[in-house]
């Protein structure tokens, strides 16, 4: 097998290397398929290699050796050897220093072509075209990279249109493919990159997919407030409904994010003919105190941004707290359309609720009694609704329960029963000086006060002729 030997060019071994130095000069290099690629990198510190995506670092054809070099062995060198090279090995080979977010990336890169006359394209998509997402007005690349820099490639729009590179709207780059700085509707459809090598025509196909940024809806599977017991598992499903051509980015922010407390699973459902449904499921196993707080699902598609959130509370143990809402006596007036008996309740998990009236289940005793959450609603209040009401809260699986009794007084407006007033023969004539008894019957709660008032009649005087 043939090999290549390179010597270091550039700075001397005595100078400081701000970036690692490769042993090859220039940007593009061509290696014939089947030969061995040898690269060497030298730097002031230990460095690493970055390879083309199509070449695995675990490949048995690849070998990297690190060793001390330079004056007095104070520099660090490494050699990369790739045997039996093939077309798919074409791409960028970079040697770089370790970096941090605060520091700029320091690396040296060489693009290597693996020339294979039977495989002029690095990637072939002859039967099933590769999908290329595009947005009108933005840059789009048709990635039909070639295995040698001098291969001539033609871009066609199927069925019969040839798109000619002009250096402005369409630019050919052997290391990228066809670059279109500002894509238009003209490029929507099935495209083909074609070349002829040794009298044989090769073509690789691409289908452009126009992206939209329409997000219809974002929802969480949980309520606005999630209550959990320490040790429980938390699962939140974020569901996004978007237009058919829309692709979204879904990310989470949550209290345990920096500690990687949660795991995220994503999938897409394209069965709906009118929309795409995207799912992102966040799971936190065995929640702790550090997991309480706000969980937010962020959705982004181009300029469209949406977010939904929920708050998680983590309790150490189960509990029921039950108090009266007010200390004053509970009173209602007969005839009122409805009256609500309610208590202050804080409990976890949500307890079972039973209301009793004078020791019997209220809802069974009267159809006018309706239990809503922790309240008892009395419809069309009547006098017989007065009595003792007891709320019982229980969490059966933990034998935890609490109860509280309140007394409701129903006031009845005073009423005068006219038929019960003493009646006399008509006309009501009585002998002067005689004793008469008048009776007035009234009813009300609390008992009304009776006051008698006498209004003397006006006397009529007529003259006798």
């Amino acid at each position: 097998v043939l090999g290549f030997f390179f010597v270091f060019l550039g700075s001397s071994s005595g100078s400081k290397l701000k970036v690692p130095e490769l042993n090859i000069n220039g940007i593009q290099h061509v290696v014939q398929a089947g030969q061995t690629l040898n690269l060497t990198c030298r730097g002031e510190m230990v460095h690493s290699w970055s390879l083309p995506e199509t070449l695995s670092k675990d490949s048995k054809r690849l070998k990297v050796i690190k060793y001390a070099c330079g004056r007095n062995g104070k520099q660090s060198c490494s050699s990369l050897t790739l045997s039996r090279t093939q077309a798919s090995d074409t791409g960028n080979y970079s040697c770089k220093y370790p970096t941090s977010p605060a520091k700029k990336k320091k690396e040296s890169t060489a693009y290597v072509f693996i020339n294979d006359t039977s495989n002029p394209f690095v990637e072939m998509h002859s039967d099933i075209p590769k999908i290329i997402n595009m947005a009108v007005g933005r840059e789009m690349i048709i990635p039909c990279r070639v295995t040698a820099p001098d291969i001539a490639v033609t871009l066609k729009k199927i069925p019969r249109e040839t798109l000619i590179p002009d250096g402005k709207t369409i630019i050919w780059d052997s290391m990228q493919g066809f670059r279109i700085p500002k894509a238009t509707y003209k490029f929507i459809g099935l495209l083909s990159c074609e070349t002829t090598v040794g009298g044989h025509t090769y073509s690789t196909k691409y289908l452009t997919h126009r992206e939209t940024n329409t997000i219809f809806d974002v929802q969480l599977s949980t309520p606005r407030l999630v209550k959990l017991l320490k040790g429980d598992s938390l699962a939140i499903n974020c569901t996004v409904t978007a237009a058919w051509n829309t692709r979204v980015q879904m990310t989470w922010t949550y209290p345990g994010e920096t500690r990687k407390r949660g795991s995220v699973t994503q999938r897409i459902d394209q069965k709906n003919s009118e929309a795409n449904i995207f799912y992102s499921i966040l799971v936190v196993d065995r929640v702790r105190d550090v997991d309480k707080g706000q969980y937010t699902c962020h959705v982004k598609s181009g300029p469209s941004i949406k977010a939904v959130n929920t708050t998680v509370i983590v309790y150490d143990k189960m509990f029921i707290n039950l108090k009266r809402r007010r200390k004053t006596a509970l009173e209602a007036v007969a005839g009122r359309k409805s009256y609500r008996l309610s208590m202050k309740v804080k409990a976890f998990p949500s307890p079972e609720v039973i209301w009793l009236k004078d020791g019997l289940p209220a809802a069974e005793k009267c159809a006018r009694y309706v239990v809503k959450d922790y309240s008892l609603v009395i419809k069309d209040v009547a006098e017989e609704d007065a009595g003792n009401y007891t709320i019982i809260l229980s969490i059966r699986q933990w034998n935890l329960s609490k109860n509280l009794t309140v007394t409701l007084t129903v006031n009845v407006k005073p009423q005068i029963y006219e038929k019960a007033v003493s009646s006399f023969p008509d006309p009501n004539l009585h002998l002067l000086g005689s004793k008469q008894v008048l009776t007035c019957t009234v009813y009300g709660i609390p008992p009304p006060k009776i006051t008698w008032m006498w209004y003397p009649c006006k006397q009529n005087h007529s003259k006798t002729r």
Side-chain angles (χ1 to χ4, degrees), residues 18-22 41 48-50 93-97 99 104-110:
K18 293 183 179 180
V19 295
E21 183 181 76
L22 286 170
C41 182
S48 61
W49 290 91
S50 178
Y93 290 77
S94 300
C95 176
K96 57 186 178 180
Y97 287 149
T99 58
K104 293 183 179 180
K105 184 183 290 185
K106 295 182 178 181
E107 64 180 351
S108 294
T109 301

PDB file of all heavy atoms in Angstrom, residues 18-22 41 48-50 93-97 99 104-110:
ATOM      1  N   LYS A  18       0.226  29.122  18.604  1.00  0.00           N
ATOM      2  CA  LYS A  18      -1.070  29.581  19.109  1.00  0.00           C
ATOM      3  C   LYS A  18      -2.181  28.614  18.713  1.00  0.00           C
ATOM      4  O   LYS A  18      -3.172  28.464  19.423  1.00  0.00           O
ATOM      5  CB  LYS A  18      -1.374  30.981  18.586  1.00  0.00           C
ATOM      6  CG  LYS A  18      -0.436  32.041  19.138  1.00  0.00           C
ATOM      7  CD  LYS A  18      -0.830  33.425  18.645  1.00  0.00           C
ATOM      8  CE  LYS A  18       0.095  34.488  19.227  1.00  0.00           C
ATOM      9  NZ  LYS A  18      -0.264  35.854  18.751  1.00  0.00           N
ATOM     10  N   VAL A  19      -2.012  28.002  17.549  1.00  0.00           N
ATOM     11  CA  VAL A  19      -2.942  26.957  17.119  1.00  0.00           C
ATOM     12  C   VAL A  19      -2.112  25.735  16.778  1.00  0.00           C
ATOM     13  O   VAL A  19      -0.946  25.836  16.413  1.00  0.00           O
ATOM     14  CB  VAL A  19      -3.771  27.400  15.879  1.00  0.00           C
ATOM     15  CG1 VAL A  19      -4.680  28.560  16.224  1.00  0.00           C
ATOM     16  CG2 VAL A  19      -2.868  27.749  14.710  1.00  0.00           C
ATOM     17  N   PRO A  20      -2.693  24.528  16.892  1.00  0.00           N
ATOM     18  CA  PRO A  20      -1.918  23.332  16.534  1.00  0.00           C
ATOM     19  C   PRO A  20      -1.558  23.366  15.052  1.00  0.00           C
ATOM     20  O   PRO A  20      -2.291  23.919  14.234  1.00  0.00           O
ATOM     21  CB  PRO A  20      -2.872  22.184  16.877  1.00  0.00           C
ATOM     22  CG  PRO A  20      -4.225  22.790  16.909  1.00  0.00           C
ATOM     23  CD  PRO A  20      -4.051  24.195  17.349  1.00  0.00           C
ATOM     24  N   GLU A  21      -0.453  22.750  14.698  1.00  0.00           N
ATOM     25  CA  GLU A  21       0.070  22.847  13.338  1.00  0.00           C
ATOM     26  C   GLU A  21       0.044  21.484  12.653  1.00  0.00           C
ATOM     27  O   GLU A  21       0.565  20.498  13.168  1.00  0.00           O
ATOM     28  CB  GLU A  21       1.502  23.375  13.398  1.00  0.00           C
ATOM     29  CG  GLU A  21       2.145  23.602  12.044  1.00  0.00           C
ATOM     30  CD  GLU A  21       3.561  24.109  12.202  1.00  0.00           C
ATOM     31  OE1 GLU A  21       4.453  23.290  12.526  1.00  0.00           O
ATOM     32  OE2 GLU A  21       3.767  25.328  12.029  1.00  0.00           O
ATOM     33  N   LEU A  22      -0.617  21.462  11.484  1.00  0.00           N
ATOM     34  CA  LEU A  22      -0.646  20.243  10.685  1.00  0.00           C
ATOM     35  C   LEU A  22       0.598  20.178   9.808  1.00  0.00           C
ATOM     36  O   LEU A  22       1.199  21.206   9.475  1.00  0.00           O
ATOM     37  CB  LEU A  22      -1.897  20.216   9.795  1.00  0.00           C
ATOM     38  CG  LEU A  22      -3.233  19.915  10.495  1.00  0.00           C
ATOM     39  CD1 LEU A  22      -4.391  20.155   9.540  1.00  0.00           C
ATOM     40  CD2 LEU A  22      -3.248  18.490  11.012  1.00  0.00           C
ATOM     41  N   CYS A  41       0.107  16.188  13.653  1.00  0.00           N
ATOM     42  CA  CYS A  41      -0.232  17.476  14.266  1.00  0.00           C
ATOM     43  C   CYS A  41       0.716  17.740  15.426  1.00  0.00           C
ATOM     44  O   CYS A  41       1.052  16.827  16.202  1.00  0.00           O
ATOM     45  CB  CYS A  41      -1.676  17.452  14.758  1.00  0.00           C
ATOM     46  SG  CYS A  41      -2.225  19.011  15.486  1.00  0.00           S
ATOM     47  N   SER A  48      -6.723  17.124  20.131  1.00  0.00           N
ATOM     48  CA  SER A  48      -7.601  16.043  19.679  1.00  0.00           C
ATOM     49  C   SER A  48      -7.902  16.208  18.198  1.00  0.00           C
ATOM     50  O   SER A  48      -7.688  17.275  17.619  1.00  0.00           O
ATOM     51  CB  SER A  48      -8.911  16.035  20.480  1.00  0.00           C
ATOM     52  OG  SER A  48      -9.608  17.248  20.292  1.00  0.00           O
ATOM     53  N   TRP A  49      -8.423  15.126  17.588  1.00  0.00           N
ATOM     54  CA  TRP A  49      -8.751  15.122  16.170  1.00  0.00           C
ATOM     55  C   TRP A  49     -10.261  15.162  15.965  1.00  0.00           C
ATOM     56  O   TRP A  49     -11.018  14.550  16.707  1.00  0.00           O
ATOM     57  CB  TRP A  49      -8.197  13.873  15.486  1.00  0.00           C
ATOM     58  CG  TRP A  49      -6.709  13.856  15.359  1.00  0.00           C
ATOM     59  CD1 TRP A  49      -5.824  13.334  16.251  1.00  0.00           C
ATOM     60  CD2 TRP A  49      -5.934  14.383  14.276  1.00  0.00           C
ATOM     61  NE1 TRP A  49      -4.527  13.491  15.810  1.00  0.00           N
ATOM     62  CE2 TRP A  49      -4.559  14.134  14.589  1.00  0.00           C
ATOM     63  CE3 TRP A  49      -6.243  15.035  13.090  1.00  0.00           C
ATOM     64  CZ2 TRP A  49      -3.529  14.514  13.755  1.00  0.00           C
ATOM     65  CZ3 TRP A  49      -5.210  15.408  12.246  1.00  0.00           C
ATOM     66  CH2 TRP A  49      -3.870  15.153  12.571  1.00  0.00           C
ATOM     67  N   SER A  50     -10.675  15.902  14.925  1.00  0.00           N
ATOM     68  CA  SER A  50     -12.072  15.917  14.496  1.00  0.00           C
ATOM     69  C   SER A  50     -12.109  15.362  13.082  1.00  0.00           C
ATOM     70  O   SER A  50     -11.326  15.791  12.220  1.00  0.00           O
ATOM     71  CB  SER A  50     -12.630  17.337  14.531  1.00  0.00           C
ATOM     72  OG  SER A  50     -13.974  17.353  14.071  1.00  0.00           O
ATOM     73  N   TYR A  93     -10.470  17.188   8.189  1.00  0.00           N
ATOM     74  CA  TYR A  93      -9.697  16.569   9.261  1.00  0.00           C
ATOM     75  C   TYR A  93      -9.085  17.717  10.072  1.00  0.00           C
ATOM     76  O   TYR A  93      -8.305  18.506   9.543  1.00  0.00           O
ATOM     77  CB  TYR A  93      -8.612  15.656   8.697  1.00  0.00           C
ATOM     78  CG  TYR A  93      -9.166  14.406   8.055  1.00  0.00           C
ATOM     79  CD1 TYR A  93      -9.743  14.455   6.793  1.00  0.00           C
ATOM     80  CD2 TYR A  93      -9.134  13.193   8.723  1.00  0.00           C
ATOM     81  CE1 TYR A  93     -10.268  13.314   6.185  1.00  0.00           C
ATOM     82  CE2 TYR A  93      -9.644  12.037   8.135  1.00  0.00           C
ATOM     83  CZ  TYR A  93     -10.222  12.113   6.865  1.00  0.00           C
ATOM     84  OH  TYR A  93     -10.750  10.968   6.293  1.00  0.00           O
ATOM     85  N   SER A  94      -9.473  17.829  11.335  1.00  0.00           N
ATOM     86  CA  SER A  94      -9.050  18.967  12.157  1.00  0.00           C
ATOM     87  C   SER A  94      -8.285  18.503  13.377  1.00  0.00           C
ATOM     88  O   SER A  94      -8.594  17.469  13.985  1.00  0.00           O
ATOM     89  CB  SER A  94     -10.272  19.783  12.613  1.00  0.00           C
ATOM     90  OG  SER A  94     -10.987  20.279  11.500  1.00  0.00           O
ATOM     91  N   CYS A  95      -7.287  19.305  13.737  1.00  0.00           N
ATOM     92  CA  CYS A  95      -6.507  19.094  14.950  1.00  0.00           C
ATOM     93  C   CYS A  95      -6.763  20.308  15.832  1.00  0.00           C
ATOM     94  O   CYS A  95      -6.595  21.454  15.387  1.00  0.00           O
ATOM     95  CB  CYS A  95      -5.030  18.968  14.587  1.00  0.00           C
ATOM     96  SG  CYS A  95      -3.938  18.816  16.020  1.00  0.00           S
ATOM     97  N   LYS A  96      -7.202  20.110  17.095  1.00  0.00           N
ATOM     98  CA  LYS A  96      -7.624  21.259  17.898  1.00  0.00           C
ATOM     99  C   LYS A  96      -7.224  21.127  19.359  1.00  0.00           C
ATOM    100  O   LYS A  96      -7.094  20.036  19.907  1.00  0.00           O
ATOM    101  CB  LYS A  96      -9.136  21.440  17.792  1.00  0.00           C
ATOM    102  CG  LYS A  96      -9.951  20.218  18.197  1.00  0.00           C
ATOM    103  CD  LYS A  96     -11.425  20.441  17.922  1.00  0.00           C
ATOM    104  CE  LYS A  96     -12.237  19.199  18.290  1.00  0.00           C
ATOM    105  NZ  LYS A  96     -13.684  19.399  18.016  1.00  0.00           N
ATOM    106  N   TYR A  97      -7.021  22.326  19.967  1.00  0.00           N
ATOM    107  CA  TYR A  97      -6.762  22.405  21.404  1.00  0.00           C
ATOM    108  C   TYR A  97      -8.084  22.291  22.166  1.00  0.00           C
ATOM    109  O   TYR A  97      -9.150  22.627  21.632  1.00  0.00           O
ATOM    110  CB  TYR A  97      -6.123  23.753  21.762  1.00  0.00           C
ATOM    111  CG  TYR A  97      -4.678  23.919  21.332  1.00  0.00           C
ATOM    112  CD1 TYR A  97      -4.180  25.187  21.002  1.00  0.00           C
ATOM    113  CD2 TYR A  97      -3.812  22.839  21.287  1.00  0.00           C
ATOM    114  CE1 TYR A  97      -2.858  25.367  20.621  1.00  0.00           C
ATOM    115  CE2 TYR A  97      -2.478  23.005  20.906  1.00  0.00           C
ATOM    116  CZ  TYR A  97      -2.018  24.270  20.568  1.00  0.00           C
ATOM    117  OH  TYR A  97      -0.720  24.428  20.191  1.00  0.00           O
ATOM    118  N   THR A  99     -11.008  23.559  24.367  1.00  0.00           N
ATOM    119  CA  THR A  99     -11.572  24.909  24.477  1.00  0.00           C
ATOM    120  C   THR A  99     -12.621  24.960  25.564  1.00  0.00           C
ATOM    121  O   THR A  99     -13.135  23.937  26.006  1.00  0.00           O
ATOM    122  CB  THR A  99     -12.203  25.355  23.145  1.00  0.00           C
ATOM    123  OG1 THR A  99     -13.229  24.416  22.777  1.00  0.00           O
ATOM    124  CG2 THR A  99     -11.169  25.425  22.040  1.00  0.00           C
ATOM    125  N   LYS A 104     -11.970  31.103  22.330  1.00  0.00           N
ATOM    126  CA  LYS A 104     -12.249  30.781  20.939  1.00  0.00           C
ATOM    127  C   LYS A 104     -11.655  29.417  20.598  1.00  0.00           C
ATOM    128  O   LYS A 104     -10.664  28.989  21.156  1.00  0.00           O
ATOM    129  CB  LYS A 104     -11.664  31.854  20.022  1.00  0.00           C
ATOM    130  CG  LYS A 104     -12.332  33.215  20.137  1.00  0.00           C
ATOM    131  CD  LYS A 104     -11.727  34.196  19.150  1.00  0.00           C
ATOM    132  CE  LYS A 104     -12.421  35.559  19.246  1.00  0.00           C
ATOM    133  NZ  LYS A 104     -11.831  36.530  18.285  1.00  0.00           N
ATOM    134  N   LYS A 105     -12.313  28.768  19.636  1.00  0.00           N
ATOM    135  CA  LYS A 105     -11.823  27.466  19.202  1.00  0.00           C
ATOM    136  C   LYS A 105     -10.488  27.652  18.474  1.00  0.00           C
ATOM    137  O   LYS A 105     -10.356  28.496  17.597  1.00  0.00           O
ATOM    138  CB  LYS A 105     -12.838  26.817  18.270  1.00  0.00           C
ATOM    139  CG  LYS A 105     -12.457  25.400  17.830  1.00  0.00           C
ATOM    140  CD  LYS A 105     -13.461  24.833  16.843  1.00  0.00           C
ATOM    141  CE  LYS A 105     -14.775  24.556  17.547  1.00  0.00           C
ATOM    142  NZ  LYS A 105     -15.724  23.877  16.620  1.00  0.00           N
ATOM    143  N   LYS A 106      -9.488  26.852  18.851  1.00  0.00           N
ATOM    144  CA  LYS A 106      -8.164  26.929  18.235  1.00  0.00           C
ATOM    145  C   LYS A 106      -7.873  25.602  17.558  1.00  0.00           C
ATOM    146  O   LYS A 106      -7.649  24.580  18.229  1.00  0.00           O
ATOM    147  CB  LYS A 106      -7.102  27.255  19.279  1.00  0.00           C
ATOM    148  CG  LYS A 106      -7.283  28.645  19.897  1.00  0.00           C
ATOM    149  CD  LYS A 106      -6.197  28.970  20.890  1.00  0.00           C
ATOM    150  CE  LYS A 106      -6.363  30.381  21.449  1.00  0.00           C
ATOM    151  NZ  LYS A 106      -5.288  30.735  22.408  1.00  0.00           N
ATOM    152  N   GLU A 107      -7.901  25.632  16.204  1.00  0.00           N
ATOM    153  CA  GLU A 107      -7.713  24.402  15.463  1.00  0.00           C
ATOM    154  C   GLU A 107      -7.117  24.680  14.084  1.00  0.00           C
ATOM    155  O   GLU A 107      -7.178  25.808  13.579  1.00  0.00           O
ATOM    156  CB  GLU A 107      -9.040  23.659  15.314  1.00  0.00           C
ATOM    157  CG  GLU A 107     -10.077  24.399  14.491  1.00  0.00           C
ATOM    158  CD  GLU A 107     -11.383  23.624  14.367  1.00  0.00           C
ATOM    159  OE1 GLU A 107     -11.429  22.459  14.773  1.00  0.00           O
ATOM    160  OE2 GLU A 107     -12.349  24.200  13.858  1.00  0.00           O
ATOM    161  N   SER A 108      -6.568  23.637  13.490  1.00  0.00           N
ATOM    162  CA  SER A 108      -6.095  23.668  12.104  1.00  0.00           C
ATOM    163  C   SER A 108      -6.851  22.587  11.359  1.00  0.00           C
ATOM    164  O   SER A 108      -7.022  21.469  11.872  1.00  0.00           O
ATOM    165  CB  SER A 108      -4.591  23.413  12.034  1.00  0.00           C
ATOM    166  OG  SER A 108      -3.879  24.474  12.636  1.00  0.00           O
ATOM    167  N   THR A 109      -7.281  22.922  10.138  1.00  0.00           N
ATOM    168  CA  THR A 109      -8.130  22.008   9.378  1.00  0.00           C
ATOM    169  C   THR A 109      -7.600  21.827   7.966  1.00  0.00           C
ATOM    170  O   THR A 109      -7.142  22.785   7.327  1.00  0.00           O
ATOM    171  CB  THR A 109      -9.583  22.533   9.323  1.00  0.00           C
ATOM    172  OG1 THR A 109     -10.085  22.677  10.643  1.00  0.00           O
ATOM    173  CG2 THR A 109     -10.481  21.576   8.551  1.00  0.00           C
ATOM    174  N   ALA A 110      -7.694  20.611   7.483  1.00  0.00           N
ATOM    175  CA  ALA A 110      -7.369  20.299   6.090  1.00  0.00           C
ATOM    176  C   ALA A 110      -8.521  19.491   5.498  1.00  0.00           C
ATOM    177  O   ALA A 110      -9.062  18.595   6.165  1.00  0.00           O
ATOM    178  CB  ALA A 110      -6.074  19.508   6.006  1.00  0.00           C
TER     179      ALA A 110
END
